[in-house]
Amino acid sequence: MTTHNENKPAVVPETTKQAGEAQPARWDWVERSVWTERMLEALERGVKGNVWFSLIDKVCRPATLKAAWLSVKANGGSAGSDHQSIKEFERDLEANLTRLEEELRRGTYSPRSIRRVYIDKPGSKDKRPLGIPAVRDRVVQAALRITIEPIFEREFLPGSYGFRPNRGCKDALREVDQHLKSGHIHIVDADIRAYFDSIPHDLLMQEVRKHIADGRVLKLLEAFLKVDILDGMNRWTPEGGTPQGAVISPLLANLFLHPVDCAMAEAGYRMVRYADDFVVFCESHAEAQSALMTVSKLMEQRGLSLHPDKTKIADLSQPKAGFDFLGYCFTRITRWPRKKSLAKVKDAIRRKTGRSNGHSLEAIIEDVNKTLRGWFEYFKHANARAFPRLDAWIRRRLRSILRQRRKRGGISRGFDHMLWPNKFFRKHGLFSLKTARDSFFQSSMR
């Protein structure tokens, strides 16, 4: 491997602190009924052997279970295999939480089967499998996450952004911009094949045991990993993976890739990861080839593999070269919403603007605006040319509705734009992506 790391500064995890030094802002997200000042001080200082004991009593505390319930309720979602909805669980909330507390304390708690459903992948004919645990199991998983997440957060590196407290897509995108601006334009654009379904349970539990030695907590985690999956009339016990949709899965998925983060950082590579989606920024094609070889071996050591058709090296010095990451397509000098991102927002608009929509135009526009404002908030940093065409497509959808109401079939065409010009839709309050982008750009230049 190219010895490119000799002239690079050593990577120091953001968790490195002087003993006893407090970081109140860093831990402002923790559940304080579990993570008291004393525990946070121990977390910062480091416990003996870096291993935590006696955690189950914190998982099953009434305050922890109540906080867990509130997070489950806020996230919503449908019923699991036992058909009990969130509303039904809440009708007898205190009794349900008390029952969970007793089962956890006695060691008799057992999770129910996970209900498998399939959702569409935007811009693809494939389906994404989701596992929906029972509400009671989501509460226990949330209580478990509340208790153990700070232990692992102390270890995680800055380049990991997915499903972590006080971090998100926009933070990852800012780091991407920084690397590109600093000249790292040879990109390893990687895709892990079926990551959430492929995580080996034994290797994952090895990572957990490096920091947790409470046998009952370990037993709980193993129970969630091995719980039966119910897919229609079929039932089976998974031999690997952690279900997408389970409350605890994102934390475990990040933990399993943490050694890869560390190894890549120690080798001097600049990797930005969001869950199972990651890119590596390099100064040359040779370095990118070396990085790809390194990360491929690291994945193989963990029982994973990179998708050969979806993993590539992009040289952004080439005119048409680019790479996709977190909904954007990046080129050397700009970024665009990727094709799947456009397909996703168009699908959402189509559902709201069918020609037979019986609501008033004002109500339709109000509903459409909700989607557009959220989409713009995320993609407002895209190239300005991305917005006018989408604006025009949306107005065409609305004109087709108006055309239908005049008993003229088909999609909008001909002189419809004269009957209902752009200013007509402005008057009715339609959110304009182009206008919003122009306003955002002007305000950012002040």
Side-chain angles (χ1 to χ4, degrees):
M1 186 177 78
T2 306
T3 58
H4 59 275
N5 57 329
E6 293 180 358
N7 297 321
K8 295 180 181 178
V11 177
V12 180
E14 66 175 7
T15 54
T16 302
K17 299 281 299 174
Q18 294 294 321
E21 186 177 349
Q23 289 190 26
R26 183 180 171 202
W27 302 112
D28 60 2
W29 53 272
V30 303
E31 176 55 45
R32 297 312 293 260
S33 64
V34 175
W35 286 92
T36 62
E37 288 294 339
R38 183 177 179 182
M39 284 190 66
L40 286 175
E41 289 175 5
L43 183 66
E44 288 289 351
R45 187 170 57 249
V47 296
K48 184 177 181 180
N50 205 24
V51 178
W52 289 76
F53 297 82
S54 303
L55 295 171
I56 191 65
D57 63 307
K58 298 168 181 62
V59 175
C60 59
R61 281 178 183 168
T64 309
L65 291 170
K66 186 64 176 291
W69 153 251
L70 292 174
S71 70
V72 169
K73 181 182 177 181
N75 288 330
S78 56
S81 61
D82 61 357
H83 307 294
Q84 185 182 44
S85 68
I86 288 177
K87 286 185 178 180
E88 290 169 338
F89 188 92
E90 189 174 22
R91 286 194 193 113
D92 202 10
L93 179 61
E94 295 305 321
N96 285 327
L97 293 182
T98 299
R99 190 176 301 113
L100 287 177
E101 178 191 357
E102 292 173 351
E103 290 179 8
L104 289 167
R105 289 191 185 281
R106 294 173 182 172
T108 59
Y109 169 82
S110 179
R112 292 169 183 168
S113 300
I114 288 177
R115 182 169 68 91
R116 171 157 286 190
V117 298
Y118 297 87
I119 62 173
D120 293 332
K121 285 186 176 182
S124 172
K125 294 181 179 179
D126 296 334
K127 299 282 187 178
R128 185 188 305 278
L130 288 182
I132 303 180
V135 175
R136 67 190 294 274
D137 298 331
R138 300 208 291 268
V139 172
V140 175
Q141 287 190 31
L144 192 57
R145 189 200 67 216
I146 286 170
T147 303
I148 69 175
E149 187 171 28
I151 295 171
F152 298 121
E153 269 297 315
R154 181 182 184 272
E155 308 299 323
F156 291 160
L157 299 190
S160 167
Y161 291 93
F163 308 110
R164 294 182 58 189
N166 298 333
R167 300 166 77 80
C169 292
K170 292 183 179 180
D171 302 305
L173 292 170
R174 276 191 285 270
E175 185 171 348
V176 168
D177 277 336
Q178 291 171 4
H179 289 314
L180 292 177
K181 289 175 181 177
S182 64
H184 297 86
I185 58 172
H186 298 267
I187 317 298
V188 177
D189 181 8
D191 182 271
I192 305 174
R193 192 198 296 266
Y195 175 58
F196 282 87
D197 293 331
S198 304
I199 299 174
H201 290 166
D202 55 343
L203 293 181
L204 174 57
M205 290 308 299
Q206 284 181 24
E207 293 301 321
V208 175
R209 291 188 183 96
K210 289 179 181 178
H211 303 286
I212 294 175
D214 187 316
R216 292 169 69 181
V217 166
L218 296 173
K219 184 180 178 182
L220 260 185
L221 287 170
E222 288 180 322
F224 285 128
L225 291 175
K226 298 182 182 300
V227 67
D228 284 356
I229 294 177
L230 190 62
D231 188 351
M233 299 299 293
N234 300 318
R235 180 192 296 267
W236 75 92
T237 302
E239 297 181 358
T242 179
Q244 295 187 64
V247 176
I248 201 69
S249 288
L251 176 60
L252 297 179
N254 273 331
L255 176 64
F256 191 70
L257 286 180
H258 175 62
V260 176
D261 296 341
C262 292
M264 292 294 285
E266 288 170 3
Y269 295 116
R270 301 165 180 83
M271 187 167 83
V272 179
R273 181 172 67 80
Y274 192 96
D276 59 332
D277 193 5
F278 68 91
V279 283
V280 186
F281 295 86
C282 304
E283 296 176 341
S284 67
H285 185 73
E287 183 185 346
Q289 287 180 314
S290 176
L292 178 55
M293 185 180 301
T294 300
V295 77
S296 296
K297 289 180 179 178
L298 290 169
M299 292 297 174
E300 289 175 8
Q301 291 169 6
R302 307 200 66 66
L304 305 171
S305 62
L306 299 181
H307 198 298
D309 298 329
K310 298 180 181 179
T311 299
K312 64 177 183 179
I313 294 176
D315 179 0
L316 298 195
S317 65
Q318 301 302 311
K320 296 184 178 181
F323 67 95
D324 293 341
F325 187 60
L326 296 182
Y328 278 95
C329 176
F330 289 85
T331 63
R332 175 67 191 274
I333 59 175
T334 190
R335 61 163 98 165
W336 304 83
R338 63 182 296 195
K339 290 180 180 179
K340 287 186 177 181
S341 301
L342 287 171
K344 185 175 181 180
V345 72
K346 283 186 173 183
D347 284 345
I349 297 297
R350 282 190 186 98
R351 289 191 292 270
K352 298 183 176 188
T353 56
R355 284 185 294 238
S356 61
N357 191 315
H359 293 94
S360 68
L361 180 63
E362 288 76 11
I364 295 172
I365 286 176
E366 183 180 358
D367 195 23
V368 167
N369 284 349
K370 293 176 183 177
T371 297
L372 294 179
R373 287 193 175 97
W375 192 84
F376 176 76
E377 181 60 29
Y378 187 77
F379 288 102
K380 62 188 177 185
H381 294 281
N383 189 289
R385 288 181 290 166
F387 302 106
R389 186 176 298 179
L390 185 54
D391 275 336
W393 180 85
I394 293 166
R395 289 192 296 266
R396 187 184 185 192
R397 297 282 304 177
L398 295 173
R399 289 187 182 109
S400 295
I401 295 175
L402 296 173
R403 180 185 177 92
Q404 178 78 7
R405 292 179 179 180
R406 291 198 174 190
K407 309 301 182 184
R408 299 164 62 194
I411 62 174
S412 175
R413 60 183 183 273
F415 291 97
D416 288 352
H417 68 284
M418 297 182 67
L419 286 173
W420 302 292
N422 294 358
K423 64 180 180 181
F424 170 85
F425 294 105
R426 286 199 299 270
K427 181 179 178 182
H428 283 77
L430 179 64
F431 182 82
S432 168
L433 296 166
K434 179 183 182 303
T435 301
R437 174 60 172 76
D438 291 345
S439 176
F440 169 71
F441 182 77
Q442 291 170 5
S443 63
S444 64
M445 294 292 290
R446 291 172 185 166

